[in-house]
Amino acid sequence: LRNTGKNSGQRSKKFALINQGCRLNAAESQRIAQELQKKGWILSSPQEAPWVIINTCTVTHRADADLRKIVRKIQRENPTARIVALGCYVDHHGEVPGTYLSLPNPRKMEVVEVLEEVDRGRIARWKSRGFLKVQEGCDLACTYCIIPRVRGPSRSLPWAEIERRMEDFLVLGYQEVVITGIHLESYGRDLGEKSGFLNLLQRLEAFYPPVRFRISSLDPRFLTRELLAYILSAPHIMPGFHLSLQHYSPRILRLMGRGSNRGFMEILEEIRATRPEAGLGTDFIVGFPTETEEDFLLLYRFAGEAPFSYFHVFSFSPRKGTRAAEIRPRVPERISKKRSALLRELGRRKKEEFARAMVGKTLEATVIKEGEALSENYLKVKFDEKLPPGNRFLFKIEELRFPYLVGNPQE
Ligand code: SF4
């Protein structure tokens, strides 16, 4: 595929195309090149084009190694190029490290639209990760929470709309997408689906193999055996889990309208045993009305013994219009602050201990800004090299400079 040289004054609408492997690939590469040229794109060299498309092959290990070599060479010779990998390698191994976007075989031809969309600047990437809000509102009634009142019952985003948003994310080159919602396990109920959230995760896995998903938060009371088993084994789900627990004293949990602490420790231990390097966090509310020293000690002991890698601590503050705002006696602020500080200090020590255990390991992390990446298990990694935000890399962790890990990207 040679550069025609026409319109060579335009820099931005240039692309290079590298074909690996079989004739089928060559034919498709030709079609992609023609489609792009019809839309005014100019074929150029990998050294100067702002877009370099590689139609990959994975028939042998050799082909895989060649591909990695090609990517490194482009990065060296044309560091600002956006590399797009298509085809067989993506089907077999997922996203190609160092690329702006990886598309599997069935979606190869979308590359034409991707270049067009980005060129038109129709969608600008404003964050290094995509945030996919799939659900809004809540059907539950935690006594401290105003959400059900102000945001109404749970409503789920239909699949067609999720697909549309995912397409935008792919166009923007997001490699990590955070699935968010107020109460994710309620997803799909209003659409008449029983295991809606599990079905959604399975669909996302089937449709978007190169993307890795982070689940923003889960409610342990609604974590079914099937859902837990799935998120612990599915490769596209990042091993960073946030479970919404709030407290551990059964009495306080009841007053919060959150049932009991049944199963909390078992779930946490199962996650830790299955995914030893998983990030595992929660939120705690301290100083809930009537909280005694004994309630707090129950919480403190649980927080110390459970395999958390971090937790957030909030001091209770009454929200007008909630039932908890009416519960008496309130815990004096001085005591609430003291308890929060004790628990926060414990959280800091646990986070440091977890982070220290990562030294010497290799972690996948998404670059979130210059010199900083967020690991799959939710730790911040500092590094020296210039790497494109939004891309995922493997980092060898060299040391801990708490709260940061310091790592080197691996080839
Ligand atoms: S705390 Fe969460 S689960 Fe409870 S009512 Fe509020 S949004 Fe729903």
Side-chain angles (χ1 to χ4, degrees):
L1 295 161
R2 259 195 246 118
N3 182 5
T4 60
K6 256 204 263 166
N7 298 328
S8 53
Q10 300 174 22
R11 168 159 164 89
S12 65
K13 283 206 98 171
K14 283 183 180 175
F15 72 101
L17 211 161
I18 298 168
N19 187 68
Q20 273 194 305
C22 65
R23 280 201 212 135
L24 181 67
N25 258 17
E28 284 168 348
S29 293
Q30 199 168 42
R31 217 176 110 221
I32 290 166
Q34 283 165 354
E35 289 300 315
L36 281 168
Q37 284 168 328
K38 270 192 235 158
K39 292 180 187 293
W41 288 80
I42 299 150
L43 194 56
S44 171
S45 72
Q47 288 76 30
E48 68 152 1
W51 289 94
V52 181
I53 302 163
I54 313 172
N55 200 3
T56 68
C57 166
T58 190
V59 75
T60 60
H61 288 308
R62 177 83 208 246
D64 291 353
D66 282 352
L67 171 63
R68 288 191 290 269
K69 234 190 266 165
I70 292 169
V71 171
R72 282 201 297 274
K73 190 162 183 278
I74 300 166
Q75 285 173 326
R76 240 189 350 265
E77 295 176 350
N78 187 359
T80 58
R82 286 170 167 149
I83 304 171
V84 182
L86 310 176
C88 296
Y89 184 100
V90 187
D91 286 9
H92 285 103
H93 308 291
E95 177 224 336
V96 180
T99 57
Y100 178 82
L101 175 66
S102 296
L103 291 171
N105 268 315
R107 305 185 42 225
K108 251 179 195 179
M109 291 309 291
E110 287 176 29
V111 66
V112 176
E113 205 40 40
V114 169
L115 264 64
E116 282 287 284
E117 293 285 343
V118 177
D119 182 61
R120 278 185 223 131
R122 192 176 76 84
I123 315 166
R125 187 152 95 173
W126 67 280
K127 266 187 184 295
S128 51
R129 302 180 293 155
F131 288 80
L132 179 67
K133 186 168 159 191
V134 298
Q135 184 271 341
E136 168 66 286
C138 183
D139 296 332
L140 302 166
C142 302
T143 57
Y144 54 85
C145 180
I146 196 77
I147 283 178
R149 221 172 115 174
V150 297
R151 300 213 186 168
S154 173
R155 275 122 36 227
S156 312
L157 203 63
W159 174 250
E161 183 58 22
I162 291 178
E163 260 186 320
R164 209 183 58 71
R165 293 190 194 178
M166 282 303 300
E167 293 307 320
D168 284 351
F169 288 159
L170 290 177
V171 166
L172 292 166
Y174 286 123
Q175 298 180 359
E176 176 180 331
V177 171
V178 186
I179 304 172
T180 71
I182 302 283
H183 193 263
L184 285 175
E185 286 125 309
S186 298
Y187 179 85
R189 288 214 202 129
D190 56 313
L191 306 174
E193 293 176 36
K194 221 173 105 216
S195 313
F197 189 55
L198 176 59
N199 293 343
L200 172 66
L201 296 178
Q202 288 167 333
R203 265 182 160 175
L204 290 171
E205 178 181 13
F207 278 75
Y208 306 103
V211 177
R212 290 198 88 198
F213 293 89
R214 199 186 283 278
I215 301 171
S216 63
S217 176
L218 288 167
D219 183 337
R221 298 169 296 165
F222 294 81
L223 196 51
T224 59
R225 299 271 357 134
E226 294 79 17
L227 181 57
L228 182 60
Y230 180 78
I231 61 173
L232 290 179
S233 61
H236 71 307
I237 303 292
M238 293 192 146
F241 304 107
H242 186 94
L243 299 179
S244 166
L245 302 181
Q246 313 305 351
H247 213 285
Y248 192 70
S249 154
R251 200 182 66 79
I252 296 294
L253 283 168
R254 258 195 315 278
L255 279 177
M256 286 177 162
R258 295 185 61 89
S260 73
N261 62 16
R262 197 153 33 95
F264 283 13
M265 194 57 114
E266 289 74 11
I267 292 172
L268 295 168
E269 281 173 348
E270 183 170 345
I271 296 175
R272 181 57 70 234
T274 319
R275 306 293 301 262
E277 278 148 40
L280 194 43
T282 189
D283 299 321
F284 290 131
I285 299 175
V286 169
F288 192 81
T290 80
E291 185 187 68
T292 61
E293 203 62 23
E294 199 183 324
D295 292 318
F296 176 70
L297 274 176
L298 268 177
L299 171 60
Y300 188 84
R301 250 184 249 129
F302 165 72
E305 283 162 16
F308 289 118
S309 59
Y310 71 94
F311 46 76
H312 301 136
V313 180
F314 301 93
S315 288
F316 172 80
S317 79
R319 295 291 302 266
K320 217 169 149 225
T322 62
R323 278 188 286 149
E326 310 303 322
I327 303 177
R328 298 288 187 281
R330 292 223 180 116
V331 176
E333 203 185 313
R334 169 182 59 82
I335 296 180
S336 187
K337 272 194 174 157
K338 200 173 132 211
R339 290 177 186 168
S340 298
L342 276 170
L343 201 56
R344 275 199 194 108
E345 173 51 25
L346 176 64
R348 200 199 62 78
R349 286 204 306 272
K350 286 188 82 97
K351 185 171 177 183
E352 184 167 356
E353 195 185 311
F354 178 74
R356 193 175 304 286
M358 295 301 126
V359 176
K361 297 199 180 336
T362 301
L363 296 180
E364 188 181 279
T366 304
V367 177
I368 49 175
K369 58 182 177 185
E370 206 181 312
E372 196 176 305
L374 185 65
S375 74
E376 52 188 346
N377 58 359
Y378 214 60
L379 291 165
K380 286 196 175 151
V381 182
K382 291 274 186 198
F383 56 89
D384 282 337
E385 277 185 49
K386 234 182 155 41
L387 297 176
N391 284 30
R392 292 200 313 259
F393 293 89
L394 289 174
F395 288 86
K396 176 87 197 297
I397 305 303
E398 306 293 351
E399 60 169 310
L400 172 68
R401 271 185 232 149
F402 192 72
Y404 296 102
L405 295 170
V406 181
N408 281 321
Q410 303 296 286
E411 293 207 330

